[in-house]
Every structure is written in C-alpha cells, then in structure tokens.
Amino acid sequence: MKIGNIEFKHIAFLAPMAGIADRAFRELCVYHGAAYTVTEMVSSKGLTMGDRKSGELLTVGNERPCGAQLFGDDPEIMARAAVKCLEYSPDVIDINMGCPAPKVAMNGGGASLLKKPGLAFEITKAVKEAVDIPVTVKIRKGWDENSINALEIAPLLEKAGADAIAIHGRTRKEMYSGKVDLDIIKQVKSAVSIPVIGNGDVTDEQSAVLMLEKTGCDALMIGRGALGNPWIFQKINAYFDECRVLPEPTVTQKMATMLRHIERIIEYKGEYTAMREARHHAGYYTKGIRGGAAMRREICSFEHFEQLQELAFRVVKENE
C-alpha cells in the first residue's frame, strides 16, 4: 500500500489517540510492528499562535513513517498550521474530521465537520495546496443515525486532493458504543479511488481478517485494541505475512513492556507526569493478570519508577 510516495511494509497502523498516542507509545508500537503512526491531534489555532504544547505533541522520533494530525474549522488557519507542521518533519499531514469529544466536536472541529461537507472540502483543499507532502483525512460514518453521509464526504475529500481516507465505522453520536459498521467502510472504499483505511473494533488477527474481507480496505487502523497490547501489530503482521499465529505474551513480557513504556515516558515528560500516566496504562497491561486489580490500586499512590519496578517484579513472581 502507498499513500502518495510513501510505501508501507505492513497493513496495521496505529490510530491517533489524544492522551495515548504520544511519542513514547508510538515508538513502542513501531518497535512491535506498527507500519504507520499518527500524532495526537493538535489544534491548528494553537499551533499558529505558537503554543508550546503543540510543538511537543508534533515532535517525531524514530517512529516513521509518522503523520501529524491537525484539527480546526478554518481553511486558512488549517493551511497555515499545516505549513507550521513541516518544521517537525512529519511524513503526512492528517486532518481530523472524526473526533467525537465534545470539546472538539462542539467547537466546530473534529466530527462536526461531517455536518458541513462544503467546509470539509475547503479545509482539505487548502491544506493540500499548502504542503508538498501527502494529506489524509480521518472521518466517521456520519454525525448521527439521521445524517450518515460518509459516502457524500469521501468523494469530496478525494476531489479536494486527499491522498487517503481513514474511516471509523461509527457515528459521532455512537462514540465507541455498539459494533462498527463494516458495510459503510466497504461503500466508501467503492466510492473513491484513493486508499481507504478501516478503523474500529480491530482487536486481534480474527477481527483484522474480518475487516479486510468485509470491506476490501487497504489497511487497518488500530486504536483501543493496542492499549496495553502493542503486540497486536506483530501478531497481525505474522498472520498476514507468514500465516502464523503468535502466542499471547507472557506476564513477564507484559510487565517488561509496561516498564519500558513508562521509562520512555519519563525520558520525554519527566517522572512526575509519567507516573500519573502509568496509572492509566497499567490498567491495560495488567488486564487478565492474577492480582491485577490490587496492582492497579497500588499504582495510584506511586510517585517513583522504582516503586513500579518492584511491583512488576512481584507480579511476575506471583504469576509465573
């Protein structure tokens, strides 16, 4: 698969997730086989006004190819922000037209653009004309069940110059509830000639196969399925490339990866921030582990990485 002039070795991509898909997590997922990642979403207005946090979110390390995701509702500002993004050397500019979060969608950005196809077209066109790297757009099937218009939006985005479209098969109103609509992804794939990336409910090899077979999409974008589970990428790669089913990671592997993940967050954000973020990540890494609930409660009081190390070693000893 190619987006613009970028060729991808595999089909499993990491979805952009605010508060999750930071540099540390992107690098971890690439290490475990993710073929492509996208930064956390960045406000176009904040970036053009010199917001320091926006620059931190856009910093890319070894996790290439990597896209920079922008959100906003003003074509001119989005174009200026896209140019500003180039200072951080992303491989792709990705436009967020799918975020369901109220603070984004209720302020004109994200999924609210699905209600304004003309504006979605103008934003995509402005960004495409402003930069010389591929431009992609992430959408949903529609705003709600009464305005499912992905089939209207997708061809407009292609006409505006989008090099690929990622579609989450749920409406904004559905958020992440219910089941993903694979049929709408299939219809979008049939409606455009550019690559289509399917997103929603890919959690293992079986769901990856289902997504590809039912939709014909060109690649998969994995979000929640990668939380505490970066191995999902190498498992999908092994299944499609070699017809192999890899074993589930051991408790030792889970704890070692968790520690490596938090250690990398410390490197980029400092121990204070990392140990607070560890509380969230540990909830996923310890899922299904004997004593995991007690471990999660204990982590909430931790201030230092050494405490997490000691607890991880104890959990390994109790489980293996």
Side-chain angles (χ1 to χ4, degrees):
M1 176 191 168
K2 293 181 70 175
I3 295 178
N5 60 350
I6 303 172
E7 187 167 355
F8 301 93
K9 296 179 180 179
H10 302 289
I11 59 168
F13 298 172
L14 174 66
M17 293 179 282
I20 299 294
D22 59 6
R23 181 179 174 185
F25 190 59
R26 296 195 305 270
E27 289 181 346
L28 181 67
C29 289
V30 167
Y31 175 80
H32 285 284
Y36 174 63
T37 69
V38 185
T39 68
E40 300 172 78
M41 60 181 177
V42 172
S43 165
S44 57
K45 290 182 181 178
L47 181 59
T48 55
M49 294 175 66
D51 175 57
R52 182 181 60 82
K53 185 178 180 182
S54 296
E56 293 173 358
L57 294 175
L58 289 170
T59 299
V60 178
N62 299 318
E63 70 281 22
R64 294 192 178 274
C66 181
Q69 190 181 74
L70 294 172
F71 75 91
D73 62 350
D74 185 300
E76 181 182 351
I77 294 176
M78 285 287 285
R80 285 165 47 201
V83 172
K84 188 73 174 175
C85 277
L86 299 181
E87 297 177 12
Y88 300 91
S89 302
D91 299 291
V92 173
I93 298 294
D94 184 60
I95 303 172
N96 186 319
M97 295 188 187
C99 179
K103 68 178 181 179
V104 174
M106 295 307 182
N107 286 288
S112 69
L113 290 171
L114 299 174
K115 297 189 291 183
K116 302 175 181 178
L119 180 57
F121 173 88
E122 292 299 332
I123 288 174
T124 305
K125 184 173 183 291
V127 171
K128 180 63 178 179
E129 291 176 349
V131 298
D132 58 359
I133 61 175
V135 173
T136 61
V137 187
K138 192 168 191 295
I139 66 173
R140 283 182 168 242
K141 63 186 284 188
W143 179 259
D144 58 28
E145 63 275 13
N146 297 315
S147 57
I148 296 174
N149 64 343
L151 281 177
E152 174 189 358
I153 291 282
L156 280 177
L157 300 178
E158 179 179 24
K159 184 178 179 181
D163 294 283
I165 295 171
I167 173 170
H168 187 127
R170 288 183 173 88
T171 63
R172 186 270 166 184
K173 185 177 180 181
E174 288 178 297
M175 300 288 280
Y176 301 99
S177 64
K179 292 185 177 181
V180 67
D181 183 351
L182 298 179
D183 191 54
I184 193 68
I185 300 175
K186 178 181 179 180
Q187 292 178 50
V188 167
K189 172 60 183 171
S190 298
V192 298
S193 59
I194 56 178
V196 171
I197 304 159
N199 178 219
D201 293 353
V202 177
T203 57
D204 53 25
E205 301 96 320
Q206 291 72 31
S207 53
V209 170
L210 184 66
M211 172 69 81
L212 288 175
E213 289 187 347
K214 294 292 185 180
T215 70
C217 62
D218 301 282
L220 313 167
M221 188 159 270
I222 303 167
R224 292 172 296 158
L227 298 180
N229 183 31
W231 306 276
I232 188 172
F233 298 102
Q234 63 194 64
K235 292 178 73 175
I236 289 175
N237 293 342
Y239 189 86
F240 282 103
D241 295 348
E242 306 168 29
C243 296
R244 286 196 303 136
V245 177
L246 298 181
E248 291 297 316
T250 64
V251 173
T252 298
Q253 289 172 320
K254 288 182 177 181
M255 292 299 96
T257 300
M258 180 188 72
L259 291 175
R260 188 181 307 119
H261 184 178
I262 305 307
E263 201 167 26
R264 190 58 61 90
I265 299 176
I266 291 174
E267 180 182 343
Y268 297 141
K269 301 180 182 180
E271 188 175 46
Y272 179 86
T273 298
M275 291 311 298
R276 278 144 188 81
E277 293 187 3
R279 300 167 186 175
H280 177 78
H281 291 296
Y284 292 100
Y285 282 110
T286 59
K287 185 177 180 180
I289 293 178
R290 187 169 66 250
M295 179 182 182
R296 291 189 287 275
R297 288 194 296 270
E298 200 169 341
I299 288 173
C300 288
S301 65
F302 288 174
E303 296 289 336
H304 302 290
F305 182 66
E306 289 74 14
Q307 294 172 288
L308 186 62
Q309 285 180 306
E310 292 173 4
L311 181 59
F313 294 151
R314 190 171 78 233
V315 168
V316 168
K317 187 175 181 180
E318 292 173 354
N319 281 271
E320 294 189 346

